[in-house]
């Protein structure tokens, strides 16, 4: 009937019983007449076990050898899943990333996909076989095994779906789909039936952990319909696609994202001169540290304060860099605050509707939550607040925009 690419993560294939359950699910799709290509991760915490083994041998393992080691986790899963499918009477063939020839660059442990040779997969589909591919891995031009880094299996699945022109790429995980916000924070969080690539990309970048950013970027670039479903419960999950016409004229909010892993740094009292922001931010970026929200304020004494956020685990390194910068610029001081978080509203309908920001700020004022930084884009408003108020802020915003009700004027599912 159609070609579907399915991806099952580590929690979905964490034991033989779970692998058997995945085989049953795949068998159901085959019985409906679909061609199926499956991408799998390593079983459960297998990757962590392999990393620990490597570090017992070498504190900073050689990246090339780490890729050789970590790629073995998925190889176990593809073989076991094929055995489970064969036992059920379905032809199945397993392939590593190298056997399929998922060609990547030579950046070990975080390689980027360059191209995929789909001929071997198509040949197996012609023979009515299920094709099971090891996610997270590929090979470079010299035949060296490479891995794609965090979220690599999601990226593998989307890339294969694009190369094969699949009707849909289904990501099976331990949640039912994408919610209006984290259900662990808001009991009334609503499962989204649909969301755009743009919204999902923003939510993923702002703290939502359902999908990795690279996979969403890939899906959006190649227009691959992406569906997030539970591997353990029945349901249609959330479809991520280009469709946004139905929400563009509504003041719709797709969801609320939150991120605790943030720290704020302020370089106070820098000279008010052209290019001063670059002189502060440049040395940080040159060290490979990703800078997020940036604000520059003019002080009454004719100097500037430059404030920005980074990931919390990079904050001490960032402060050390800024201490040197501050000394060279004769700035007053560098202030580090690790007790902050970021909360964001996301929705394509915000483009054409005024009043979203004021409602958001009123919700914070009603809860006596002080907003330290505000940043906006066409489809996003983010605020930086004290970390202790994160859950209160998310609940207040979810209530203010009535996102628990699919019929709300702000719901993108209306």
């Amino acid at each position: 009937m159609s070609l579907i690419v399915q991806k099952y993560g580590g929690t979905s294939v964490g034991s033989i019983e779970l692998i058997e359950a995945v085989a049953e699910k795949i068998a159901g799709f085959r019985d409906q007449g679909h061609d199926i290509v499956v991408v799998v991760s390593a079983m459960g915490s297998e990757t962590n076990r392999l990393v620990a083994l490597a570090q017992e041998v070498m504190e900073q393992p050689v990246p090339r050898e780490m890729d050789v080691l970590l790629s073995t986790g998925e190889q176990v899963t593809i073989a076991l899943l094929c055995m489970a499918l064969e036992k059920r009477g379905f032809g199945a063939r397993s392939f590593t990333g190298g056997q399929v020839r998922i060609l990547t660059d030579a950046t070990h442990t975080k390689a980027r996909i360059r191209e995929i040779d789909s001929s071997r997969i198509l040949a197996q589909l012609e023979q009515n076989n299920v094709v099971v591919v090891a996610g997270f891995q590929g090979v470079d031009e010299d035949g060296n095994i490479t891995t794609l880094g965090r979220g690599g299996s999601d990226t593998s699945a989307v890339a294969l779906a694009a190369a094969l022109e699949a009707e849909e790429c289904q990501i099976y995980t331990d949640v039912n789909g994408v919610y209006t916000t984290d259900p662990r924070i808001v009991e009334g969080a609503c499962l989204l039936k649909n969301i755009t690539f743009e919204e999902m990309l923003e939510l993923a970048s702002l703290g939502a952990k359902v999908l990795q950013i690279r996979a969403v970027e890939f899906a959006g670039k190649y227009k691959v319909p992406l569906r997030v479903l539970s591997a353990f419960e029945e349901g249609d999950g959330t479809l991520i696609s280009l469709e946004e016409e139905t929400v563009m004229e509504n003041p719709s909010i797709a969801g609320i994202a939150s991120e605790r892993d943030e720290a704020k740094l302020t370089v106070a009292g820098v000279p008010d001169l052209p290019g001063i922001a670059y002189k502060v931010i440049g040395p940080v970026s040159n060290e490979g540290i990703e800078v997020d929200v940036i604000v520059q304020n003019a002080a009454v004494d004719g100097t500037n304060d430059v404030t920005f956020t980074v990931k919390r685990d990079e904050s001490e390194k960032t402060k050390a860099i800024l201490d040197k910068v501050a000394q060279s610029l004769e700035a007053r001081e560098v202030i580090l605050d690790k007790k902050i978080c970021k909360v964001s509203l996301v929705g394509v309908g915000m483009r054409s509707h005024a009043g979203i920001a004021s409602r958001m700020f009123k919700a914070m004022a009603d809860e006596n939550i002080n907003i330290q930084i505000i940043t906006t884009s066409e489809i996003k408003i983010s605020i930086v607040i004290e970390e202790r108020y994160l859950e209160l802020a998310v609940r207040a915003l979810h209530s203010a925009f009535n996102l628990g009700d699919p019929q709300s004027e702000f719901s993108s599912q209306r």
Side-chain angles (χ1 to χ4, degrees), residues 6 23 30 32 34 36 51 60 64 75 83 89 100 106 137 140 152 226 268 352 359 393:
Q6 298 182 337
R30 289 292 292 123
Q32 294 172 27
H34 296 291
I36 302 294
V51 169
Q60 296 291 332
R64 181 188 183 280
Q75 193 167 335
M83 293 175 192
V100 170
Q137 61 185 254
D140 66 16
L226 196 57
S352 57
R359 185 180 286 255

Side-chain angles (χ1 to χ4, degrees), residues 40 53 378:
V40 292
L53 285 175
E378 277 194 319

Side-chain angles (χ1 to χ4, degrees), residues 143-157:
N144 296 303
I145 295 172
T146 57
T147 63
L148 307 182
R150 185 178 178 186
S153 291
D154 284 359
T155 306
S156 298

Side-chain angles (χ1 to χ4, degrees), residues 176-191:
N176 294 327
V178 182
Y179 282 80
T180 48
T181 195
D182 189 338
R184 294 169 298 182
I185 296 177
V186 179
E187 188 175 341
C190 189
L191 178 67

